[in-house]
Amino acid sequence: MNDNTNSPSHSRCIDRRTVLSGLSGALVALAGCTDNPGTGSDTPANNTNPMTESPASQSGVFAGVRVAGSQLVVTLANDTSADWVRRFGPDGNLSEKAKVAPGGRETSFDLVGQSTDGYTPGTHRLVAVKNDETLGEITLDLEPEVTLTEFQWAKNHPDMEWDKSANNWETHAAFLLKNTGSGPAMLARTRWRNAPFVLRTDEDEQTFEHTKSLPPGETTAVYAIPPVYETSGGLVGASAVECENIDTKTLHLTAIVEPGSNPSYSQTIEYGGEEGACELTIVGSETTDQTSTTSNGSDT
């Protein structure tokens, strides 16, 4: 993978089957699929993607379960009068409960985002309850799987949604995160090392906070906060990069994802030109997956 791509790739159709088991022992398969392209905006998508119910799921206590953005949406059968749905995590302990409105059939759980502590990937159990009496239960797998698929330099991708009112817009970059799993995730932070903008400072690395939702079955475009390829000075505490004295440097980006693994990207950049007039050339790139993170946001 390299920067010589023409446009963000479309997220491919993903067939996820979540096994639901009721008290009767019946098994129900839910399949989800999307063909929405990755957008050129860093605004969270407002859609109700994966896990649309199959006809076979319209029986028993639970009519269906789906992931909509960062939420797990639960729909009860018409003849079910539950007042709560309880969610138990992979460890078997109660993680959260959601109120069902009187006469209502639907409730939801916030799985990722600023308003929640997140969730642990694995097999979860949902229990419908009325006056502390269990009416029925199902199990489902929530497993995010996020990879970094493309890294794009604004100079080479001028048709994307850059802020062209800025004089240095061509020094910015974007990257695509693709979630092929069955559960949502969130981009919490980006960590940069040896990027051109970092070389202007005395720091070894710089970290930026994000709250970008990564729904399953979607490819999400993330616009980097810093001007990644900026080599000139101009900011307090920053100086111009002496490109004429550098051979090559390898940029390292780590995307801190909660929960799930932390995909990383490395790009080798050749420096050249004269003082005050840097010339940057990309000569190689690589993506990898790093250690998994838990829902509390720790990373290694």
Side-chain angles (χ1 to χ4, degrees), residues 154-155 157-159 162-173:
K155 183 181 74 170
H157 297 270
D159 295 335
W162 312 104
D163 179 10
K164 294 185 179 179
S165 64
N167 292 332
N168 66 344
W169 72 268
E170 289 188 335
T171 68
H172 282 261

Side-chain angles (χ1 to χ4, degrees), residues 115-198:
S115 62
T116 178
D117 292 333
Y119 71 98
T120 301
T123 300
H124 292 245
R125 184 166 58 98
L126 301 179
V127 180
V129 176
K130 176 71 172 181
N131 296 326
D132 287 333
E133 178 185 352
T134 298
L135 303 180
E137 64 181 71
I138 58 175
T139 60
L140 71 158
D141 290 330
L142 294 172
E143 292 277 1
E145 186 174 342
V146 178
T147 56
L148 196 157
T149 61
E150 293 185 38
F151 193 92
Q152 300 158 326
W153 186 355
K155 183 181 74 170
N156 297 336
H157 297 270
D159 295 335
M160 293 178 64
E161 296 180 5
W162 312 104
D163 179 10
K164 294 185 179 179
S165 64
N167 292 332
N168 66 344
W169 72 268
E170 289 188 335
T171 68
H172 282 261
F175 54 94
L176 303 184
L177 293 176
K178 185 174 186 177
N179 186 353
T180 58
S182 58
M186 181 184 71
L187 174 65
R189 291 180 296 283
T190 51
R191 186 168 59 222
W192 303 82
R193 298 182 61 191
N194 278 340
F197 81 93
V198 177

Side-chain angles (χ1 to χ4, degrees), residues 66 68 70-75 85 87 96-101 105-111 126:
R66 70 185 188 276
S70 61
Q71 290 187 323
L72 179 68
V73 180
V74 180
T75 303
V85 175
R87 178 172 64 85
E96 187 180 7
K97 60 181 182 178
K99 179 73 173 177
V100 180
R105 296 182 53 228
E106 193 169 274
T107 189
S108 62
F109 298 90
D110 291 321
L111 295 180
L126 301 179

Side-chain angles (χ1 to χ4, degrees), residues 15-278:
D15 184 11
R16 291 182 309 282
R17 290 176 172 82
T18 302
V19 177
L20 307 183
S21 58
L23 290 181
S24 63
L27 297 181
V28 180
L30 300 187
C33 176
T34 179
D35 57 2
N36 292 334
T39 64
S41 169
D42 201 23
T43 303
N46 182 18
N47 52 43
T48 56
N49 192 15
M51 292 188 181
T52 54
E53 300 89 344
S54 66
S57 67
Q58 308 303 316
S59 63
V61 171
F62 290 88
V65 180
R66 70 185 188 276
V67 175
S70 61
Q71 290 187 323
L72 179 68
V73 180
V74 180
T75 303
L76 300 172
N78 287 327
D79 58 352
T80 298
S81 59
D83 49 18
W84 292 94
V85 175
R86 296 170 178 170
R87 178 172 64 85
F88 294 82
D91 60 1
N93 295 325
L94 177 64
S95 297
E96 187 180 7
K97 60 181 182 178
K99 179 73 173 177
V100 180
R105 296 182 53 228
E106 193 169 274
T107 189
S108 62
F109 298 90
D110 291 321
L111 295 180
V112 295
Q114 292 179 295
S115 62
T116 178
D117 292 333
Y119 71 98
T120 301
T123 300
H124 292 245
R125 184 166 58 98
L126 301 179
V127 180
V129 176
K130 176 71 172 181
N131 296 326
D132 287 333
E133 178 185 352
T134 298
L135 303 180
E137 64 181 71
I138 58 175
T139 60
L140 71 158
D141 290 330
L142 294 172
E143 292 277 1
E145 186 174 342
V146 178
T147 56
L148 196 157
T149 61
E150 293 185 38
F151 193 92
Q152 300 158 326
W153 186 355
K155 183 181 74 170
N156 297 336
H157 297 270
D159 295 335
M160 293 178 64
E161 296 180 5
W162 312 104
D163 179 10
K164 294 185 179 179
S165 64
N167 292 332
N168 66 344
W169 72 268
E170 289 188 335
T171 68
H172 282 261
F175 54 94
L176 303 184
L177 293 176
K178 185 174 186 177
N179 186 353
T180 58
S182 58
M186 181 184 71
L187 174 65
R189 291 180 296 283
T190 51
R191 186 168 59 222
W192 303 82
R193 298 182 61 191
N194 278 340
F197 81 93
V198 177
L199 298 182
R200 297 183 304 161
T201 71
D202 294 329
E203 302 177 27
D204 293 329
E205 65 179 40
Q206 289 195 17
T207 301
F208 297 85
E209 300 294 320
H210 296 260
T211 54
K212 184 69 172 175
S213 176
L214 306 173
E218 293 190 21
T219 296
T220 304
V222 180
Y223 284 73
I225 295 173
V228 175
Y229 296 97
E230 180 68 76
T231 57
S232 63
L235 298 177
V236 176
S239 58
V241 179
E242 297 179 354
C243 297
E244 68 277 10
N245 296 326
I246 301 175
D247 183 12
T248 62
K249 288 281 188 180
T250 300
L251 172 158
H252 295 282
L253 162 65
T254 301
I256 308 301
V257 174
E258 301 175 355
S261 61
N262 299 328
S264 66
Y265 174 78
S266 299
Q267 183 183 88
T268 302
I269 303 173
E270 184 177 78
Y271 289 72
E274 301 175 354
E275 183 177 356
C278 286

